[in-house]
Amino acid sequence: MTDTLTILTETAQRFPDMNLSERLAKIRALVSGRIVFTSSLGAEDQAITHAIFSQKLDIEVVTLDTGRLFEESYDLWAETEKRYGQKIKSYAPDTSELETLIGTQGVNGFFDSIEKRKHCCFVRKVVPLGRALEGASLWITGIRADQSAGRGNLAFFDTDAGHDVLKANPMLDWSVEQLDAYIETNDIPVNTLHARGFPSIGCQPCTRAVKPGEDARAGRWWWENENGNAAQECGLHVGPDGRLVRTRKQDIFA
């Protein structure tokens, strides 16, 4: 794993001269074994899905179906599969764990405390993610550095200690303007909620439209943010210490 990470990190130095399709194709060529891309069906994820499906790359596209997604997200899921003629694999919460969660804290108990919200995220997202990444050599995400302050110091490639897998953020240096242009140029289907002020889309009860001047993830777990708790992460991209895995900003191309 260490040798592959070194090679990938060296490759990232050439990323400024590569488009998204070239970056993903290079990752596939350099990494042996199973590669998994987890899509939340947001704009970034749709761009990566397009680059994977249009090149027919041997990269699994999966999504975490929490059971509480927006109807618009399910509609986009179906539209994407029809557009590219390929399936997005679903990973859902364990039935017994979900029944215990709801039986213990209620159907909307996540509003009561940060601890309950994190437990809901754990059952509905983190555990299914673990199953999705079992046996994977590398995990691809749609993270961009300017989505939030907490994501500004991440690296193109790193090791996710929690899942013992290499992790790639191939769109890390993209601006929202680059993303919008790529989507328009390639006529990529996107979630209709984006046009209604939702740059980041998660579960329906836990996501609102952002207000002017807020960062892209301010609408996630909005009631916590409004109470002074800058949550903005569900646990998918944090290390064992509960913090985002990160490196120095100057190392993005190192």
PDB file of all heavy atoms in Angstrom, residues 10 25 58 87-89 99 104 107 109 114 123 150 216 220 247 252:
ATOM      1  N   GLU A  10       3.162  10.943  -6.469  1.00  0.00           N
ATOM      2  CA  GLU A  10       4.021  11.495  -7.517  1.00  0.00           C
ATOM      3  C   GLU A  10       3.203  11.813  -8.762  1.00  0.00           C
ATOM      4  O   GLU A  10       3.413  12.840  -9.425  1.00  0.00           O
ATOM      5  CB  GLU A  10       5.130  10.504  -7.858  1.00  0.00           C
ATOM      6  CG  GLU A  10       6.139  10.313  -6.730  1.00  0.00           C
ATOM      7  CD  GLU A  10       7.128   9.189  -7.009  1.00  0.00           C
ATOM      8  OE1 GLU A  10       6.913   8.440  -7.998  1.00  0.00           O
ATOM      9  OE2 GLU A  10       8.104   9.048  -6.250  1.00  0.00           O
ATOM     10  N   ALA A  25      -8.582   7.501 -15.293  1.00  0.00           N
ATOM     11  CA  ALA A  25      -7.966   6.426 -16.066  1.00  0.00           C
ATOM     12  C   ALA A  25      -6.562   6.118 -15.541  1.00  0.00           C
ATOM     13  O   ALA A  25      -6.147   4.953 -15.472  1.00  0.00           O
ATOM     14  CB  ALA A  25      -7.902   6.808 -17.541  1.00  0.00           C
ATOM     15  N   ASP A  58     -13.052   0.103 -15.158  1.00  0.00           N
ATOM     16  CA  ASP A  58     -13.334  -0.959 -14.200  1.00  0.00           C
ATOM     17  C   ASP A  58     -13.273  -0.381 -12.782  1.00  0.00           C
ATOM     18  O   ASP A  58     -12.369  -0.676 -11.990  1.00  0.00           O
ATOM     19  CB  ASP A  58     -12.331  -2.104 -14.364  1.00  0.00           C
ATOM     20  CG  ASP A  58     -12.607  -3.260 -13.411  1.00  0.00           C
ATOM     21  OD1 ASP A  58     -13.746  -3.363 -12.917  1.00  0.00           O
ATOM     22  OD2 ASP A  58     -11.670  -4.045 -13.150  1.00  0.00           O
ATOM     23  N   LYS A  87     -25.366   0.193 -13.930  1.00  0.00           N
ATOM     24  CA  LYS A  87     -26.008   0.233 -12.634  1.00  0.00           C
ATOM     25  C   LYS A  87     -25.110   0.866 -11.570  1.00  0.00           C
ATOM     26  O   LYS A  87     -23.885   0.707 -11.579  1.00  0.00           O
ATOM     27  CB  LYS A  87     -26.399  -1.172 -12.176  1.00  0.00           C
ATOM     28  CG  LYS A  87     -27.425  -1.857 -13.073  1.00  0.00           C
ATOM     29  CD  LYS A  87     -28.752  -1.106 -13.083  1.00  0.00           C
ATOM     30  CE  LYS A  87     -29.789  -1.856 -13.916  1.00  0.00           C
ATOM     31  NZ  LYS A  87     -31.071  -1.101 -13.995  1.00  0.00           N
ATOM     32  N   ILE A  88     -25.759   1.571 -10.652  1.00  0.00           N
ATOM     33  CA  ILE A  88     -25.103   2.083  -9.454  1.00  0.00           C
ATOM     34  C   ILE A  88     -25.486   1.140  -8.321  1.00  0.00           C
ATOM     35  O   ILE A  88     -26.670   0.980  -8.014  1.00  0.00           O
ATOM     36  CB  ILE A  88     -25.561   3.516  -9.140  1.00  0.00           C
ATOM     37  CG1 ILE A  88     -25.165   4.465 -10.285  1.00  0.00           C
ATOM     38  CG2 ILE A  88     -24.963   3.989  -7.811  1.00  0.00           C
ATOM     39  CD1 ILE A  88     -25.730   5.861 -10.136  1.00  0.00           C
ATOM     40  N   LYS A  89     -24.509   0.505  -7.705  1.00  0.00           N
ATOM     41  CA  LYS A  89     -24.798  -0.491  -6.684  1.00  0.00           C
ATOM     42  C   LYS A  89     -25.200   0.169  -5.373  1.00  0.00           C
ATOM     43  O   LYS A  89     -24.589   1.149  -4.939  1.00  0.00           O
ATOM     44  CB  LYS A  89     -23.587  -1.393  -6.457  1.00  0.00           C
ATOM     45  CG  LYS A  89     -23.874  -2.555  -5.513  1.00  0.00           C
ATOM     46  CD  LYS A  89     -22.729  -3.546  -5.460  1.00  0.00           C
ATOM     47  CE  LYS A  89     -23.053  -4.731  -4.563  1.00  0.00           C
ATOM     48  NZ  LYS A  89     -21.957  -5.727  -4.523  1.00  0.00           N
ATOM     49  N   GLU A  99     -33.710  -1.099  12.961  1.00  0.00           N
ATOM     50  CA  GLU A  99     -34.852  -1.261  13.852  1.00  0.00           C
ATOM     51  C   GLU A  99     -34.479  -0.900  15.287  1.00  0.00           C
ATOM     52  O   GLU A  99     -35.263  -0.260  16.002  1.00  0.00           O
ATOM     53  CB  GLU A  99     -35.365  -2.700  13.774  1.00  0.00           C
ATOM     54  CG  GLU A  99     -36.048  -3.034  12.451  1.00  0.00           C
ATOM     55  CD  GLU A  99     -36.381  -4.506  12.320  1.00  0.00           C
ATOM     56  OE1 GLU A  99     -35.926  -5.304  13.174  1.00  0.00           O
ATOM     57  OE2 GLU A  99     -37.096  -4.871  11.369  1.00  0.00           O
ATOM     58  N   THR A 104     -34.812   2.786  19.730  1.00  0.00           N
ATOM     59  CA  THR A 104     -34.127   3.409  20.860  1.00  0.00           C
ATOM     60  C   THR A 104     -34.300   4.928  20.894  1.00  0.00           C
ATOM     61  O   THR A 104     -34.625   5.504  21.934  1.00  0.00           O
ATOM     62  CB  THR A 104     -32.622   3.080  20.812  1.00  0.00           C
ATOM     63  OG1 THR A 104     -32.450   1.667  20.853  1.00  0.00           O
ATOM     64  CG2 THR A 104     -31.889   3.716  21.989  1.00  0.00           C
ATOM     65  N   VAL A 107     -37.919   7.800  15.405  1.00  0.00           N
ATOM     66  CA  VAL A 107     -37.681   7.919  13.969  1.00  0.00           C
ATOM     67  C   VAL A 107     -36.893   9.175  13.612  1.00  0.00           C
ATOM     68  O   VAL A 107     -36.140   9.192  12.633  1.00  0.00           O
ATOM     69  CB  VAL A 107     -39.026   7.865  13.209  1.00  0.00           C
ATOM     70  CG1 VAL A 107     -39.867   9.115  13.487  1.00  0.00           C
ATOM     71  CG2 VAL A 107     -38.786   7.687  11.713  1.00  0.00           C
ATOM     72  N   GLY A 109     -34.951  10.913  16.065  1.00  0.00           N
ATOM     73  CA  GLY A 109     -34.195  11.193  17.278  1.00  0.00           C
ATOM     74  C   GLY A 109     -32.917  11.963  17.050  1.00  0.00           C
ATOM     75  O   GLY A 109     -32.375  12.570  17.982  1.00  0.00           O
ATOM     76  N   ILE A 114     -26.218  15.803  19.251  1.00  0.00           N
ATOM     77  CA  ILE A 114     -25.173  15.466  18.288  1.00  0.00           C
ATOM     78  C   ILE A 114     -24.846  13.979  18.376  1.00  0.00           C
ATOM     79  O   ILE A 114     -24.616  13.323  17.357  1.00  0.00           O
ATOM     80  CB  ILE A 114     -23.904  16.308  18.543  1.00  0.00           C
ATOM     81  CG1 ILE A 114     -24.191  17.786  18.258  1.00  0.00           C
ATOM     82  CG2 ILE A 114     -22.741  15.820  17.692  1.00  0.00           C
ATOM     83  CD1 ILE A 114     -23.021  18.705  18.545  1.00  0.00           C
ATOM     84  N   VAL A 123     -25.157   4.184  11.677  1.00  0.00           N
ATOM     85  CA  VAL A 123     -25.955   3.035  11.257  1.00  0.00           C
ATOM     86  C   VAL A 123     -26.332   3.124   9.785  1.00  0.00           C
ATOM     87  O   VAL A 123     -26.254   2.133   9.043  1.00  0.00           O
ATOM     88  CB  VAL A 123     -27.224   2.918  12.130  1.00  0.00           C
ATOM     89  CG1 VAL A 123     -28.184   1.871  11.563  1.00  0.00           C
ATOM     90  CG2 VAL A 123     -26.848   2.561  13.563  1.00  0.00           C
ATOM     91  N   GLY A 150     -13.146  22.748   6.527  1.00  0.00           N
ATOM     92  CA  GLY A 150     -12.562  21.508   7.012  1.00  0.00           C
ATOM     93  C   GLY A 150     -11.951  20.653   5.929  1.00  0.00           C
ATOM     94  O   GLY A 150     -11.136  19.773   6.219  1.00  0.00           O
ATOM     95  N   ALA A 216     -20.560  25.543   1.099  1.00  0.00           N
ATOM     96  CA  ALA A 216     -21.403  24.572   0.398  1.00  0.00           C
ATOM     97  C   ALA A 216     -22.020  23.529   1.316  1.00  0.00           C
ATOM     98  O   ALA A 216     -23.048  22.941   0.985  1.00  0.00           O
ATOM     99  CB  ALA A 216     -20.591  23.881  -0.703  1.00  0.00           C
ATOM    100  N   ARG A 220     -25.934  21.106   5.778  1.00  0.00           N
ATOM    101  CA  ARG A 220     -25.930  19.756   6.328  1.00  0.00           C
ATOM    102  C   ARG A 220     -25.987  19.840   7.852  1.00  0.00           C
ATOM    103  O   ARG A 220     -25.203  20.542   8.471  1.00  0.00           O
ATOM    104  CB  ARG A 220     -24.680  18.993   5.887  1.00  0.00           C
ATOM    105  CG  ARG A 220     -24.481  18.938   4.373  1.00  0.00           C
ATOM    106  CD  ARG A 220     -25.544  18.109   3.674  1.00  0.00           C
ATOM    107  NE  ARG A 220     -25.428  16.697   3.991  1.00  0.00           N
ATOM    108  CZ  ARG A 220     -24.615  15.853   3.337  1.00  0.00           C
ATOM    109  NH1 ARG A 220     -23.861  16.299   2.342  1.00  0.00           N
ATOM    110  NH2 ARG A 220     -24.567  14.577   3.675  1.00  0.00           N
ATOM    111  N   THR A 247      -3.804  16.846   4.990  1.00  0.00           N
ATOM    112  CA  THR A 247      -2.386  17.152   4.888  1.00  0.00           C
ATOM    113  C   THR A 247      -2.266  18.655   4.689  1.00  0.00           C
ATOM    114  O   THR A 247      -3.268  19.362   4.658  1.00  0.00           O
ATOM    115  CB  THR A 247      -1.752  16.387   3.717  1.00  0.00           C
ATOM    116  OG1 THR A 247      -0.330  16.567   3.778  1.00  0.00           O
ATOM    117  CG2 THR A 247      -2.223  16.886   2.376  1.00  0.00           C
ATOM    118  N   ILE A 252      -0.870  19.473  -1.713  1.00  0.00           N
ATOM    119  CA  ILE A 252      -1.892  18.966  -2.630  1.00  0.00           C
ATOM    120  C   ILE A 252      -1.213  18.430  -3.892  1.00  0.00           C
ATOM    121  O   ILE A 252      -1.603  17.407  -4.437  1.00  0.00           O
ATOM    122  CB  ILE A 252      -2.907  20.057  -2.997  1.00  0.00           C
ATOM    123  CG1 ILE A 252      -3.863  20.291  -1.817  1.00  0.00           C
ATOM    124  CG2 ILE A 252      -3.719  19.679  -4.228  1.00  0.00           C
ATOM    125  CD1 ILE A 252      -4.900  21.348  -2.078  1.00  0.00           C
TER     126      ILE A 252
END
